[in-house]
Amino acid sequence: MPTSKKAIYKQIEDIFVERYRNAQTELRYKNLYEILICVILSAQCTDKRVNMITPALFEKYPDINSLANASLDDVKSLISSCSFFNNKAKNIINMAKQVMNDFNGNIPLNSKDLKSLSGVGQKTANVVLLEYCGENLMAVDTHVFRVSHRLNLSKAKSAEETEKDLNKIFKKNRNILHQGFVLFGRYICKSINPQCYTCFVYDFCKYENKLQK
Ligand code: SF4
């Protein structure tokens, strides 16, 4: 077990990269348009739920242009089982209109322009860029936040500050680490009842309520 912080961080990075190098998002998408919609819908909603909703949505509105001209009520009804569906329906239609008007119908692939779109904040932009383009970025969702804190990689109170801490620690492989932290948090280091008995980073964990092996 390494003792210096730097050595600990390196070992955590190596373990996650080895394990999750080929991991992929569980959101189902075929192109940039679909992943952008999936990520917007996934805020405070499960990937499983989003994957149930999107096939009908994408069948009826297969691209930015069709979504820009969609009826709000229709989109609301197609995504009604998603959390915050009223706001999300407005956001995705407005986003599509902005892409048509401001970007000639092409979804921009840089952080600044993505974040100018309705419903797209820092986390959503980062997830799209790291998933779709493999960019060296972290995005801090509820799983990444929890795992980062339990592994003592950050003590920050907000997602934004946690992202800064992670970026200081990890200079490369951020997209793989993001994916790894999400899946590790979803299936092993769960919010309630973490599976500490199978945990492969048990010795690094500083969580006060971690279970004995
Ligand atoms: S020991 Fe338990 S709480 Fe700690 S990181 Fe592993 S699963 Fe999470």
Side-chain angles (χ1 to χ4, degrees):
M1 178 77 182
T3 50
S4 79
K5 273 190 176 180
K6 201 173 167 192
I8 289 171
Y9 297 155
K10 176 76 173 73
Q11 198 155 342
I12 290 174
E13 177 179 346
D14 288 348
I15 291 169
F16 273 90
V17 168
E18 172 70 21
R19 201 171 179 107
Y20 292 101
R21 184 183 302 282
N22 298 315
Q24 293 182 328
T25 177
E26 293 182 323
L27 291 168
R28 287 194 213 115
Y29 68 96
K30 291 199 282 293
N31 51 45
L32 176 56
Y33 163 72
E34 291 190 359
I35 190 169
L36 177 55
I37 300 289
C38 285
V39 178
I40 293 173
L41 294 181
S42 71
Q44 292 172 287
C45 187
T46 62
D47 287 4
K48 202 170 165 185
R49 169 64 54 190
V50 171
N51 289 335
M52 289 165 68
I53 292 166
T54 47
L57 179 69
F58 295 151
E59 188 175 347
K60 189 144 188 203
Y61 302 107
D63 50 33
I64 282 287
N65 188 35
S66 54
L67 186 61
N69 292 295
S71 127
L72 178 58
D73 285 343
D74 191 41
V75 173
K76 277 186 190 175
S77 104
L78 284 165
I79 67 166
S80 62
S81 62
C82 188
S83 57
F84 307 105
F85 70 94
N86 281 314
N87 274 339
K88 287 177 180 175
K90 278 184 216 152
N91 280 338
I92 60 174
I93 292 173
N94 286 338
M95 177 278 291
K97 286 180 177 163
Q98 283 176 281
V99 172
M100 291 307 295
N101 294 333
D102 301 344
F103 299 99
N104 293 321
N106 299 309
I107 296 168
L109 273 177
N110 67 77
S111 182
K112 179 171 163 283
D113 289 339
L114 270 174
K115 286 193 283 184
S116 74
L117 300 174
S118 186
V120 181
Q122 171 92 353
K123 185 186 64 143
T124 299
N126 281 11
V127 172
V128 169
L129 291 171
L130 74 89
E131 287 289 348
Y132 192 76
C133 307
E135 285 199 19
N136 186 36
L137 292 168
M138 294 289 300
V140 178
D141 68 358
T142 182
H143 301 301
V144 176
F145 186 88
R146 182 174 65 257
V147 168
S148 301
H149 285 71
R150 287 181 179 176
L151 292 180
N152 203 30
L153 301 171
S154 176
K155 290 184 169 43
K157 301 275 186 248
S158 69
E160 290 75 19
E161 292 301 314
T162 302
E163 186 187 323
K164 284 182 193 163
D165 287 342
L166 293 174
N167 285 339
K168 275 186 214 149
I169 294 171
F170 303 115
K171 298 298 177 196
K172 54 187 173 60
N173 294 315
R174 289 172 185 157
N175 52 331
I176 299 170
L177 292 167
H178 164 84
Q179 199 63 265
F181 285 10
V182 169
L183 294 173
F184 176 63
R186 187 174 290 158
Y187 295 111
I188 299 175
C189 190
K190 301 177 190 182
S191 173
I192 299 166
N193 294 328
Q195 315 287 294
C196 303
Y197 54 90
T198 79
C199 181
F200 53 86
V201 280
Y202 188 89
D203 292 341
F204 299 100
C205 176
K206 301 291 183 204
Y207 181 44
E208 60 205 15
N209 297 324
K210 84 172 174 181
L211 307 175
Q212 293 302 312
K213 267 194 171 180

